[in-house]
Amino acid sequence: MPVNKNAAVGFIFITLLIDIIGFGVIIPVMPKLIAELKGVDISGASKYGSWLMFVYAFMQFLCAPLFGSMSDKYGRRPVLLFSLFGFGIDYLFLALAPTYGWLFVGRVISGITGASITTGFAYIADISTPENRAKNFGMVGAAFGLGFIIGPLLGGLLGHFGPRVPFYAAAVLALLNWLYGYFVLPESLSKENRREFNWKRANPLTSLLRLKRFPALGGLVISMTLVYLASHAVQSNWSYFTMFRFNWDEKMVGISLAVVGVLVAIVQGGLTRYVNPKLGNEKSIYTGLLLYTIGMFLFGIANQGWMMFVFLVPYCFGGIAQPALQSVMSGQVPANEQGELQGALTSMQSACAIIGPLLMNNLFYYFSHSNAPVYLPGAPFLVGAALLLAAFIIAYRSLHIKKRLG
């Protein structure tokens, strides 16, 4: 099937948008659902929440390169449809969970089937040229932003009807997304650009090690790894921290994450398209990483709820760095290995998500529980700021090595 590239960007944008809405719907209610099932406070629930995020990420780490390589062999469309259907079934499973153990099993299922984002990035790489690659990756980022406007806000509102209602809503969205993809989404990978499936290349560790073949990619991968690891101070910890520190309810958490979504959509869908061509990828990376660092540090020292909204501005504007990093790395990989690259990067992201929640949520618990040696609930954000500063230094060194080699 011939692919209209402009239309295809729209198709994948809508597909990922609905996917992220479904994911975002459950975020505001998860802390209190865990607290209810385990009989603990929000600080204690953060520890159990970290294990749910851990098992999801661990299964993604194992399965993302497998699905990435399968999409290089069989095409993006069938892999994407399988993933979306699996998410729908998983959300129904979570909605019916009577114990914490059921939540754990549900996260295992969603980790196995969670290849839609990996395949979506590979899809964008298929239809992009060097000139519009960063812009198209920015549009994918805008789908994340809009999804996080609608999803958490909807989840916060639905949470007032019960902590399980958002899970049913997420299931409906995921299955509607599957139907949309089945009838509308075209295949993006032409048969001449496909390659044979190889189990060794689908190994997550092998996939990561293969990235060393490409000039300057190693340092940039380390830099992006630190960014992903630091981001869990926000991603894994936001709901628990704001509920505990500022006594926010599900609705306020949903509103705050909707604000994050608005800012991300502005940056990825609009600002990136103008800033990146003017600054170039390299300066966009440096500027973005510095803004990330400043925003993260300010979260750590906030002592009023309104400050979190103000400090979101520099943090979210740091988002100009990631499409630029993605563009630099994607530009150094052949067309028939884009799926493998995106699978490897998702595996790396999942590896960080294995470590990140355990690190950040346990830091939060250690410095916020009733017998804490020092009361410092913002500790995860301060550690995140240090990691982001390190990412800036490594990216700077890596890109300068590339200039000398090139």
Side-chain angles (χ1 to χ4, degrees), residues 89-100:
I89 299 303
D90 171 61
Y91 287 133
L92 285 175
F93 190 89
L94 292 173
L96 298 168
T99 65
Y100 174 80

Side-chain angles (χ1 to χ4, degrees), residues 6 40 50-51 57 140 166 180 188 235 259 306-307 331 352 358 364 378 390:
N6 289 330
V40 296
S50 72
W51 285 107
V140 172
Y180 171 81
S188 65
Q235 293 178 19
V259 171
W306 62 264
M307 293 181 179
C352 293
L358 295 177
F364 168 67

Side-chain angles (χ1 to χ4, degrees), residues 106-235:
R107 292 287 83 186
V108 171
I109 296 170
S110 60
I112 293 170
T113 61
S116 59
I117 294 172
T118 302
T119 313
F121 275 119
Y123 193 110
I124 290 296
D126 291 340
I127 62 175
S128 298
T129 64
E131 292 74 25
N132 67 12
R133 186 177 286 117
K135 181 183 75 173
N136 287 344
F137 277 123
M139 289 300 293
V140 172
F144 277 75
L146 289 174
F148 273 108
I149 294 169
I150 302 167
L153 191 57
L154 183 62
L157 294 173
L158 291 175
H160 283 283
F161 299 99
R164 298 175 188 274
V165 174
F167 292 92
Y168 287 110
V172 170
L173 287 170
L175 293 174
L176 286 175
N177 197 7
W178 172 71
L179 285 173
Y180 171 81
Y182 183 83
F183 288 108
V184 177
L185 193 70
E187 180 56 64
S188 65
L189 186 64
S190 61
K191 292 188 182 296
E192 59 268 22
N193 281 332
R194 298 186 187 185
R195 64 172 176 83
E196 290 301 314
F197 180 82
N198 185 305
W199 278 104
K200 185 177 180 181
R201 297 176 81 169
N203 182 302
L205 296 178
T206 301
S207 184
L208 286 172
L209 291 173
R210 284 178 63 82
L211 294 174
K212 293 165 65 177
R213 292 169 41 197
F214 305 103
L217 217 56
L220 294 178
V221 168
I222 293 171
S223 181
M224 188 169 271
T225 299
L226 293 175
V227 172
Y228 285 143
L229 190 60
S231 72
H232 281 278
V234 176
Q235 293 178 19

Side-chain angles (χ1 to χ4, degrees), residues 49 68 141 144 265 299 311 350 374 387:
F144 277 75
F299 289 149
F311 299 158
S350 295
V374 178
L387 293 173

Side-chain angles (χ1 to χ4, degrees), residues 122-377:
Y123 193 110
I124 290 296
D126 291 340
I127 62 175
S128 298
T129 64
E131 292 74 25
N132 67 12
R133 186 177 286 117
K135 181 183 75 173
N136 287 344
F137 277 123
M139 289 300 293
V140 172
F144 277 75
L146 289 174
F148 273 108
I149 294 169
I150 302 167
L153 191 57
L154 183 62
L157 294 173
L158 291 175
H160 283 283
F161 299 99
R164 298 175 188 274
V165 174
F167 292 92
Y168 287 110
V172 170
L173 287 170
L175 293 174
L176 286 175
N177 197 7
W178 172 71
L179 285 173
Y180 171 81
Y182 183 83
F183 288 108
V184 177
L185 193 70
E187 180 56 64
S188 65
L189 186 64
S190 61
K191 292 188 182 296
E192 59 268 22
N193 281 332
R194 298 186 187 185
R195 64 172 176 83
E196 290 301 314
F197 180 82
N198 185 305
W199 278 104
K200 185 177 180 181
R201 297 176 81 169
N203 182 302
L205 296 178
T206 301
S207 184
L208 286 172
L209 291 173
R210 284 178 63 82
L211 294 174
K212 293 165 65 177
R213 292 169 41 197
F214 305 103
L217 217 56
L220 294 178
V221 168
I222 293 171
S223 181
M224 188 169 271
T225 299
L226 293 175
V227 172
Y228 285 143
L229 190 60
S231 72
H232 281 278
V234 176
Q235 293 178 19
S236 303
N237 192 48
W238 183 271
S239 298
Y240 300 97
F241 174 80
T242 54
M243 285 182 170
F244 178 86
R245 185 78 170 88
F246 308 118
N247 202 30
W248 286 4
D249 60 11
E250 295 95 332
K251 182 179 178 181
M252 184 57 70
V253 171
I255 290 171
S256 69
L257 291 173
V259 171
V260 173
V262 170
L263 292 171
V264 170
I266 290 171
V267 172
Q268 304 287 11
L271 191 64
T272 299
R273 301 169 68 179
Y274 297 100
V275 170
N276 187 277
K278 290 188 176 182
L279 292 182
N281 283 332
E282 186 176 344
K283 288 183 180 178
S284 295
I285 291 169
Y286 300 153
T287 304
L289 290 177
L290 284 176
L291 287 170
Y292 268 147
T293 304
I294 292 168
M296 188 73 80
F297 176 78
L298 292 173
F299 289 149
I301 61 173
N303 57 19
Q304 298 289 332
W306 62 264
M307 293 181 179
M308 301 299 283
F309 287 92
V310 175
F311 299 158
L312 280 171
V313 176
Y315 179 77
C316 291
F317 273 46
I320 63 172
Q322 289 200 42
L325 274 167
Q326 196 97 33
S327 179
V328 170
M329 288 189 283
S330 179
Q332 297 182 45
V333 176
N336 65 350
E337 294 186 1
Q338 289 292 339
E340 185 178 4
L341 171 65
Q342 300 306 328
L345 291 177
T346 302
S347 287
M348 177 266 289
Q349 187 174 4
S350 295
C352 293
I354 292 169
I355 303 166
L358 295 177
L359 171 64
M360 298 303 181
N361 285 33
N362 279 284
L363 270 174
F364 168 67
Y365 173 74
Y366 183 77
F367 287 103
S368 65
H369 70 87
S370 57
N371 295 318
V374 178
Y375 181 76
L376 187 64

Side-chain angles (χ1 to χ4, degrees), residues 375-400:
Y375 181 76
L376 187 64
F381 299 114
L382 300 178
V383 171
L387 293 173
L388 288 166
L389 185 60
F392 170 85
I393 295 168
I394 292 169
Y396 178 83
R397 290 175 59 84
S398 178
L399 290 169
H400 276 254

